[in-house]
Amino acid sequence: MGGSDCLVMGHISPSIILYEVDTLLFFFMNHVVAMAGGFDQGEASSKTSKLRVEARIELKGILTPALQSFVFQHFCAALPVEFQEMILKHFVHGSQEGKMSWTVVDAVDYKGFPADRSKTGGWIPAALILGIEICERLSTMGIAVNLVTYLVDTMHLPSSTSANVVTDFMGTSFLLCLLGGFVADSFLGRYMTIAIFSIIQTLGTGTLAIATKLPQLRPPPCHASASHTCKRANGFQMGILYMALYLIALGTGGLKSSVSGFGTDQFDEKDEKEKAQMAYFFNRFFFFISTGTLIAVTVLVYLQDEVGRSWAYGICSVSMFVAILLFLSGTKRYRYKKSLGSPIVQIFQVTVAATNKRKMELPYNVELLYEDTPETTRIHHTDRFHFLDKAAIVAEGDFEKNVVSAPNPWKLCSVTRVEEVKMMVGLLPIWATTIIFWTTYAQMITFSVEQASTMERSIGGFQIPAGSLTVFFVAAILITLAVYDRLIMPFWNKWKGKPGFTNLQRIAIGLVLSTFGMAAAAVVEKKRLAIARTVDATTATMPLSVFLLIPQFFLVGAGEAFMYTGQLDFFITQSPKGMKTMSTGLFLTTLSLGFFVSSFLVLVVKRVTGSNDGQGWLADNINHGRLDCFYGLLAVLGIINFVLYLVCAVWYKPRKPKPALHMETIVNGSSAEDKC
């Protein structure tokens, strides 16, 4: 039965349409393969059979935008006009309302079928993912900001050792994000990585709750009136504590490398509406992080000090368990991106291939470099890092024997794969110049808390816990985000036509604010030390209000609001699709290295300025040291780093995503016949 006869009867079947299109697609591909490879039609038919099956899978249901364009450009002319119109109607959902719903390019649903834009993704699945993040932040920060007091007062460790335990815990948590990113990209995918590592973190917080509850897992109490030295925690007790902490660190590493990436997977950056929603997602993401931190440094710290640490850590474990259940409930609504393999392997392949061909000359025309990537996903050659381009030079022996058109990836890489590695290399200068910010941040949960412990913290009859002073830090983040979201973004959009500052501009603002924060901290500390010299050496609390520390908390907190959202946006949007999880891990390593650099600076300063009696800039007792000089050093380093950052930001060439092909460009304004 012909196509026109079907139209007369008014009951043409979509399966007939897809069969006709599939047949044309097969013959077209068969012809192309035959011409390109020099085969006869029989050989070409066998070589295109796999491609035909893949095409049939894509053609089942709704075509992706890329295949829509391909079909209409190459096959419409061979079909009757009436048949063209039926193809268009088959692709349209809810045509009576004039709305069209397409599948999302490179995304599938939980069954592995192309993801329907109307049934998957968006704010609801993103909110379920954010629930995991807020509970992770509640656990990690609730432990970190008050852990040093537990180590000193309960486990009887020296203050310097206690500080190192905290910074090592935080640094390792973020460093393990690289491991989490590798596992997600190479084996599990983001969804399974989040599910598994969130369970690991739940086990860690549960173990910590038990460790702080059982008296056998901590040394006996030490009273101030006792004449003997307090007994330190033994190896077994510290071993249980370390096991709990590093289970939490492992869970944090796996979670944080995938949560933001999986959240952005729920929005299509090639769709203008969803791209705008993604921009707001970054702010919402950080808002949820800050909310979790706020609860941690207020409610959770109070529960630790007044009710019991085991209760507080138990709450963390239960809340994460509930968040996991909510996360799993959204399985059918998520969009999943196909894993493209380990980006680390790809980086090594390009590096090895380029190194082996280092003595070869690049062709005068870049078109002569090897490229086998489909046009729709191809990344065009860029004029930078020319050494890596040599990986795409075709040489003898690059192709596997007995395999047609299959190069050895360790000898020959496509231009697109080379460009993806170039993109990751291009991120490194920005990455390196943001580490110093997190070194500054580390002072907010270490020395600034120690400052607060020596100052007047009473409000009426209530004394603010020293660890809760970071509430001003979190409040600054929330206020900054609210002002930016509600005032700055609308104003900037109206004035400049852009939805807020660029990611590089936000990073720059964060660096500037953190530098001013350290300058303010140095001024306040100088005043605190002046008063400390006038009071008795045994005085625990000096007559100086703790609220003088608000400027440094507020400036660094506001800086973090710009820095975190800017970095997150930069590393996700400027990285290749297959390396987004790894790039998120790369971003989070700046936090890790910031903590480790802080520890390194402390060791260097103590060695250079210290003495045998524990004095120097960073004395055992901060009332006898020069913490103001240390803060001043960080401010100077911040200025130098900012200049370097400006150079790197000017040098960097941002990546712009390709625009999406929408069906409206085919339907509106002209007939299908005109477009074909």
Side-chain angles (χ1 to χ4, degrees):
M1 182 178 293
S4 59
D5 294 332
C6 291
L7 284 170
V8 172
M9 296 181 65
H11 62 273
I12 187 169
S13 170
S15 62
I16 296 176
I17 296 175
L18 293 176
Y19 175 77
E20 296 287 347
V21 173
D22 179 46
T23 301
L24 287 170
L25 179 62
F26 172 69
F27 283 120
F28 177 79
M29 293 163 60
N30 188 26
H31 180 64
V32 170
V33 172
M35 289 192 304
F39 314 119
D40 58 36
Q41 293 295 324
E43 292 176 311
S45 177
S46 63
K47 295 182 185 302
T48 55
S49 59
K50 182 175 182 295
L51 295 176
R52 186 185 184 190
V53 171
E54 294 176 351
R56 273 181 165 173
I57 294 173
E58 294 291 347
L59 285 165
K60 183 178 180 181
I62 305 169
L63 293 184
T64 63
L67 279 174
Q68 291 166 20
S69 173
F70 188 72
V71 169
F72 279 104
Q73 289 177 12
H74 295 286
F75 305 128
C76 283
L79 300 175
V81 175
E82 296 87 356
F83 218 85
Q84 298 169 14
E85 294 175 353
M86 287 306 300
I87 292 176
L88 285 172
K89 289 182 180 179
H90 178 65
F91 294 149
V92 177
H93 280 297
S95 58
Q96 294 178 349
E97 299 177 1
K99 297 180 180 178
M100 285 180 282
S101 176
W102 307 110
T103 55
V104 181
V105 179
D106 299 331
V108 297
D109 61 16
Y110 74 106
K111 292 183 178 180
F113 294 120
D116 188 330
R117 190 184 302 277
S118 64
K119 297 179 180 179
T120 61
W123 277 113
I124 294 178
L128 297 176
I129 299 169
L130 289 176
I132 289 282
E133 179 60 28
I134 192 173
C135 291
E136 178 276 324
R137 183 68 0 186
L138 179 69
S139 300
T140 304
M141 291 305 298
I143 294 167
V145 298
N146 209 31
L147 180 61
V148 68
T149 59
Y150 177 77
L151 295 172
V152 172
D153 298 337
T154 304
M155 305 300 280
H156 306 150
L157 300 182
S159 59
S160 58
T161 304
S162 301
N164 285 339
V165 170
V166 175
T167 53
D168 289 346
F169 163 66
M170 292 296 289
T172 304
S173 297
F174 292 112
L175 188 62
L176 285 172
C177 291
L178 282 178
L179 173 63
F182 173 76
V183 170
D185 284 336
S186 305
F187 306 106
L188 300 179
R190 293 169 184 165
Y191 171 80
M192 287 300 298
T193 300
I194 292 173
I196 292 174
F197 282 89
S198 59
I199 293 174
I200 292 175
Q201 190 181 59
T202 304
L203 293 175
T205 51
T207 304
L208 188 61
I210 295 173
T212 55
K213 178 65 175 178
L214 298 179
Q216 295 87 348
L217 298 180
R218 58 179 184 269
C222 180
H223 301 288
S225 58
S227 58
H228 62 280
T229 303
C230 295
K231 183 179 179 181
R232 292 180 55 173
N234 58 38
F236 174 75
Q237 293 166 339
M238 290 303 299
I240 298 296
L241 180 64
Y242 282 138
M243 181 180 69
L245 289 177
Y246 286 99
L247 275 175
I248 296 170
L250 179 60
T252 298
L255 282 174
K256 295 194 77 65
S257 63
S258 297
V259 166
S260 57
F262 193 51
T264 56
D265 285 347
Q266 310 312 309
F267 305 97
D268 184 8
E269 66 177 1
K270 294 184 178 180
D271 180 89
E272 289 300 322
K273 181 179 178 181
E274 293 197 14
K275 182 180 179 181
Q277 291 177 337
M278 185 189 295
Y280 280 98
F281 171 80
F282 287 114
N283 282 344
R284 298 292 188 276
F285 177 79
F286 193 64
F287 180 84
F288 271 69
I289 290 178
S290 301
T291 301
T293 304
L294 180 63
I295 297 173
V297 302
T298 54
V299 178
L300 207 61
V301 169
Y302 179 81
L303 289 175
Q304 291 173 21
D305 290 347
E306 303 298 330
V307 179
R309 290 181 182 269
S310 59
W311 280 97
Y313 299 147
I315 290 173
C316 292
S317 187
V318 172
S319 63
M320 179 59 82
F321 180 74
V322 173
I324 293 172
L325 295 180
L326 292 175
F327 173 76
L328 296 177
S329 69
T331 300
K332 295 182 179 180
R333 292 292 306 272
Y334 296 133
R335 294 175 186 170
Y336 304 86
K337 297 294 180 69
K338 297 178 182 178
S339 177
L340 301 178
S342 171
I344 296 178
V345 173
Q346 178 180 334
I347 292 172
F348 277 120
Q349 287 175 341
V350 172
T351 304
V352 169
T355 302
N356 291 336
K357 297 178 179 179
R358 62 187 180 278
K359 296 182 179 180
M360 299 181 66
E361 294 292 332
L362 287 170
Y364 66 92
N365 188 349
V366 295
E367 297 295 332
L368 298 177
L369 295 174
Y370 178 73
E371 180 61 280
D372 63 351
T373 309
E375 182 65 32
T376 54
T377 57
R378 186 172 296 177
I379 301 177
H380 297 292
H381 179 268
T382 57
D383 191 26
R384 58 175 182 172
F385 307 128
H386 293 293
F387 171 78
L388 295 176
D389 289 333
K390 295 186 177 183
I393 299 176
V394 180
E396 184 179 357
D398 284 348
F399 289 84
E400 299 281 1
K401 295 182 179 179
N402 301 323
V403 180
V404 179
S405 300
N408 184 333
W410 293 95
K411 295 181 179 180
L412 179 64
C413 303
S414 66
V415 172
T416 294
R417 293 177 71 85
V418 172
E419 289 301 320
E420 288 177 338
V421 175
K422 285 184 181 182
M423 289 169 65
M424 294 302 295
V425 174
L427 301 179
L428 294 181
I430 301 296
W431 169 83
T433 51
T434 56
I435 293 174
I436 192 66
F437 175 89
W438 300 106
T439 300
T440 299
Y441 170 89
Q443 314 315 313
M444 297 298 102
I445 61 173
T446 53
F447 288 119
S448 292
V449 173
E450 194 169 355
Q451 282 179 286
S453 66
T454 67
M455 302 170 74
E456 178 59 49
R457 309 189 308 274
S458 298
I459 301 179
F462 176 76
Q463 187 173 28
I464 304 173
S468 292
L469 259 294
T470 49
V471 69
F472 298 110
F473 181 78
V474 180
I477 296 173
L478 296 177
I479 292 172
T480 302
L481 288 176
V483 171
Y484 181 76
D485 194 13
R486 297 300 178 182
L487 297 179
I488 297 178
M489 289 184 70
F491 170 76
W492 204 255
N493 189 31
K494 184 177 180 180
W495 183 34
K496 295 286 188 179
K498 299 179 181 179
F501 301 131
T502 66
N503 42 42
L504 293 178
Q505 289 172 338
R506 278 177 281 168
I507 293 173
I509 294 172
L511 291 174
V512 170
L513 290 175
S514 67
T515 301
F516 279 114
M518 285 297 94
V523 172
V524 173
E525 175 62 11
K526 190 173 183 65
K527 182 174 183 179
R528 193 194 67 83
L529 287 175
I531 295 177
R533 295 188 183 96
T534 62
V535 299
D536 194 303
T538 59
T539 302
T541 302
M542 291 181 293
L544 186 66
S545 175
V546 76
F547 297 112
L548 286 175
L549 299 178
I550 290 180
Q552 65 197 61
F553 279 109
F554 191 89
L555 287 169
V556 178
E560 187 186 354
F562 285 104
M563 174 62 72
Y564 199 103
T565 57
Q567 278 188 289
L568 188 61
D569 188 356
F570 175 78
F571 281 96
I572 288 182
T573 60
Q574 299 300 309
S575 63
K577 285 185 177 180
M579 299 185 181
K580 289 188 182 297
T581 306
M582 178 185 173
S583 66
T584 304
L586 186 66
F587 149 53
L588 292 171
T589 57
T590 63
L591 281 75
S592 172
L593 293 176
F595 281 101
F596 289 137
V597 169
S598 177
S599 299
F600 175 75
L601 279 178
V602 168
L603 291 175
V604 171
V605 169
K606 284 181 69 68
R607 177 164 297 184
V608 172
T609 68
S611 58
N612 294 331
D613 58 354
Q615 302 303 310
W617 283 11
L618 301 176
D620 294 341
N621 186 331
I622 63 170
N623 292 337
H624 302 153
R626 292 299 306 272
L627 186 58
D628 57 330
C629 294
F630 182 70
Y631 283 150
L633 173 64
L634 287 173
V636 172
L637 292 176
I639 294 173
I640 297 172
N641 179 80
F642 181 69
V643 174
L644 294 175
Y645 171 79
L646 290 180
V647 174
C648 296
V650 171
W651 169 83
Y652 182 77
K653 297 179 181 179
R655 171 202 176 205
K656 297 181 180 179
K658 297 180 180 179
L661 175 63
H662 294 287
M663 198 61 190
E664 289 83 349
T665 61
I666 298 178
V667 179
N668 296 337
S670 60
S671 66
E673 182 180 9
D674 295 333
K675 292 297 177 184
C676 292

